[in-house]
């Protein structure tokens, strides 16, 4: 990876690809309720800075999960290929949902 520290920020999100060919977007978030991290099954408390992982599926559709920053970096990022830093404005919920309505073959990068 080199130029990344594996962590999204206010300005930058990260986009990679899973083994199945889905897009995985890593977005900085602030918890507005209590979440459970899928990496360690620990709590993410209200107000905690964390990583929202949103998948845009190859065949369409999206889903997202809330991860501890460290868990996402240690568990998830290593499984992604083609990781790129993208401006955070490109990773808004509405843009990703719109992206999920188009099959990947017809998506513009
Ligand atoms: Zn965790």
């Amino acid at each position: 990876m080199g130029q990344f520290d594996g962590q999204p920020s206010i300005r930058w999100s990260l986009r990679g690809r899973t083994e199945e060919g889905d897009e995985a977007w890593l977005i900085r978030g602030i918890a507005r309720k209590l979440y459970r991290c899928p990496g360690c099954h620990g709590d993410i408390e209200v107000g905690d800075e964390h990583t929202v992982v949103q998948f845009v599926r190859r065949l369409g559709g999206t889903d997202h999960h809330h991860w501890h920053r460290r868990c996402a970096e240690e568990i998830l990022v290593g499984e992604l290929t083609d990781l790129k830093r993208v401006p955070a404005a490109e990773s808004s919920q509405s843009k990703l949902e719109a992206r999920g309505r188009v099959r990947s073959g017809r998506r513009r990068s």
Side-chain angles (χ1 to χ4, degrees), residues 21-45:
D22 299 328
E23 292 177 353
W25 294 69
L26 279 65
I27 305 153
R28 174 190 173 276
I30 300 293
R32 276 175 282 180
K33 57 179 197 165
L34 185 68
Y35 295 115
R36 177 139 306 172
C37 171
C40 68
H41 305 291
D43 289 343
I44 300 170
E45 305 281 349

Side-chain angles (χ1 to χ4, degrees), residues 70-89:
R70 179 178 291 264
C71 292
E73 182 175 11
E74 290 181 352
I75 298 170
L76 201 65
V77 166
E79 297 180 353
L80 302 177
T81 56
D82 201 19
L83 201 66
K84 292 184 172 63
R85 201 169 67 155
V86 291

Side-chain angles (χ1 to χ4, degrees), residues 34-63:
L34 185 68
Y35 295 115
R36 177 139 306 172
C37 171
C40 68
H41 305 291
D43 289 343
I44 300 170
E45 305 281 349
V46 174
D48 281 359
E49 186 178 36
H50 66 288
T51 297
V52 180
V53 179
Q54 180 141 8
F55 295 102
V56 179
R57 301 296 179 188
R58 189 166 54 88
L59 298 177
T62 62
D63 55 271

Side-chain angles (χ1 to χ4, degrees), residues 3-4 7 9 12-15 82-87:
Q3 70 267 45
F4 306 113
Q7 298 284 5
S9 66
W12 298 100
S13 298
L14 301 174
R15 185 184 75 201
D82 201 19
L83 201 66
K84 292 184 172 63
R85 201 169 67 155
V86 291

